[in-house]
Amino acid sequence: MIIETFITTIFQQNTRVLACAETRRAVCVDPGASADTIAEYINANKLDLQAITLTHAHLDHIGGVSDLHKIFPQAEIILHRDDEEMYYALPEQPLLMGIPRGELKALGLEYAAPPTLTRNWQDGETYAVGNLQFKILHCPGHAPGHVILAEENLRKVFGGDCLFSGSIGRTDLPGGDYEQLINSITDKILPLGDDVTVYTGHGEDTTIGHERTTNPFLTSVYRVGRG
Ligand SMILES: [Fe+2]
């Protein structure tokens, strides 16, 4: 499996191109920006981009969809239906975060309306990319329509903003819910297995076992008084 990471936007989001080494079939997970750089990599490595696969619709994960889709118009765009509203509200997202309109351009956060989605993820579906098999699991909490992509044979999960190295996704944005996020991590992510590598939406990679035993949100440290 080929995994290439591009750190995009002022939010240092980990955009990834994932590809099957045998068939060259590929997807781009969460193109936050930098479509030209991503496209250069895809073309230089003779990859065949079949889809733009979104974990959720926060601006730092979808800001580059429009430009990337213009370069690869055959690529499907897939997102869970519970994040559709946020996706189509991309131009307004920075304003909802409290960033003044006059500062958007300088911050690289001036967005046009994004292209129409091709379809929605279904919880539990298996999504094939050449010989890779991704299980799609709905993990709400950070965002209502957040999904993770788990390649269980290769022991890897692309977890977006649910679980980070030493932390978890924020839950103060619209549609966020702390209890729901903890439940998603506990019920959907941890059972994938301690040996699974977690490729996070921000920061370093980690493993489920490391987080299960040391992450203060998952050990007792921040859980006093919670059931
Ligand atoms: Fe996010």
Side-chain angles (χ1 to χ4, degrees):
M1 176 180 190
I2 298 164
I3 302 172
E4 185 72 12
T5 302
F6 305 83
I7 299 175
T8 63
T9 77
I10 56 168
F11 301 99
Q12 304 270 296
Q13 198 272 125
N14 291 324
T15 293
R16 289 196 175 86
V17 170
L18 311 181
C20 167
E22 294 94 47
T23 63
R24 313 307 285 179
R25 297 284 283 177
V27 295
C28 181
V29 183
D30 294 353
S34 312
D36 288 346
T37 308
I38 297 165
E40 244 169 62
Y41 173 82
I42 290 169
N43 290 329
N45 288 280
K46 299 191 167 34
L47 303 178
D48 174 14
L49 188 74
Q50 68 179 39
I52 296 168
T53 52
L54 302 172
T55 62
H56 66 297
H58 286 154
L59 59 85
D60 51 329
H61 295 252
I62 67 166
V65 171
S66 188
D67 286 346
L68 191 62
H69 195 252
K70 278 184 196 137
I71 303 170
F72 300 103
Q74 81 291 348
E76 294 191 309
I77 308 171
I78 317 175
L79 175 73
H80 192 279
R81 70 173 176 280
D82 292 353
D83 261 26
E84 265 198 51
E85 203 180 319
M86 196 146 57
Y87 177 85
Y88 289 114
L90 173 63
E92 288 80 50
Q93 278 195 45
L95 306 174
L96 296 172
M97 291 169 71
I99 299 168
R101 194 178 287 277
E103 291 178 17
L104 298 184
K105 202 178 169 86
L107 293 171
L109 302 178
E110 202 173 47
Y111 298 116
T116 306
L117 295 166
T118 312
R119 71 174 179 92
N120 295 125
W121 294 123
Q122 300 301 314
D123 183 31
E125 78 170 273
T126 299
Y127 181 75
V129 181
N131 299 326
L132 305 173
Q133 302 273 334
F134 293 99
K135 186 142 189 217
I136 308 301
L137 297 171
H138 184 209
C139 290
H142 172 69
H146 198 300
V147 303
I148 60 170
L149 292 75
E151 219 306 350
E152 292 184 280
N153 298 324
L154 299 180
R155 315 305 288 155
K156 297 178 196 307
V157 64
F158 298 86
D161 289 357
C162 291
L163 181 61
F164 297 128
S165 176
S167 189
I168 60 172
R170 58 191 285 191
T171 51
D172 59 321
L173 294 168
D177 185 309
Y178 181 86
E179 293 296 333
Q180 213 174 30
L181 178 57
I182 292 292
N183 289 341
S184 289
I185 294 170
T186 307
D187 300 342
K188 302 272 187 78
I189 300 179
L190 299 189
L192 293 171
D194 281 357
D195 62 317
V196 168
T197 300
V198 184
Y199 293 84
T200 61
H202 302 264
E204 297 298 309
D205 308 338
T206 184
T207 65
I208 288 179
H210 183 72
E211 296 313 309
R212 191 177 58 72
T213 52
T214 65
N215 188 311
F217 291 92
L218 305 181
T219 59
S220 60
V221 180
Y222 288 174
R223 305 216 66 190
V224 177
R226 298 182 186 274

